[in-house]
Amino acid sequence: WISGSGIVHSFEQINNIVSLHSQNHKIFIGSDSFLTKKRTCFVTAVCLLTENKGGKYFLYKDYLKTN
């Protein structure tokens, strides 16, 4: 997992950050994929929004070789 500012986080760290944030704020989670001739890229995003203060996001990318 990588934050919008480029800091690498473990899944456990993301889980803790989301748990702390979830009490009074909004959380958005989304996924997408992109297929090329050589591989498929899967991306998951977690966005944490604090109203009137902005937010932060984290991305996870994984690649699968295309046969």
Side-chain angles (χ1 to χ4, degrees):
W1 289 89
I2 189 164
S3 69
S5 58
I7 299 171
V8 176
H9 296 274
S10 68
F11 177 77
E12 290 78 19
Q13 289 172 313
I14 297 298
N15 193 28
N16 290 335
I17 293 168
V18 169
S19 294
L20 292 172
H21 184 85
S22 66
Q23 306 202 357
N24 298 317
H25 309 289
K26 295 181 181 179
I27 300 171
F28 300 92
I29 300 172
S31 295
D32 202 359
S33 62
F34 181 76
L35 179 65
T36 67
K37 289 183 181 181
K38 295 183 180 181
R39 63 185 182 175
T40 303
C41 176
F42 297 93
V43 179
T44 301
V46 176
C47 302
L48 309 175
L49 179 64
T50 303
E51 285 193 44
N52 302 318
K53 291 189 178 182
K56 52 184 146 185
Y57 66 92
F58 303 92
L59 298 174
Y60 181 79
K61 286 186 183 183
D62 196 12
Y63 296 94
L64 197 69
K65 201 174 192 181
T66 304
N67 293 332

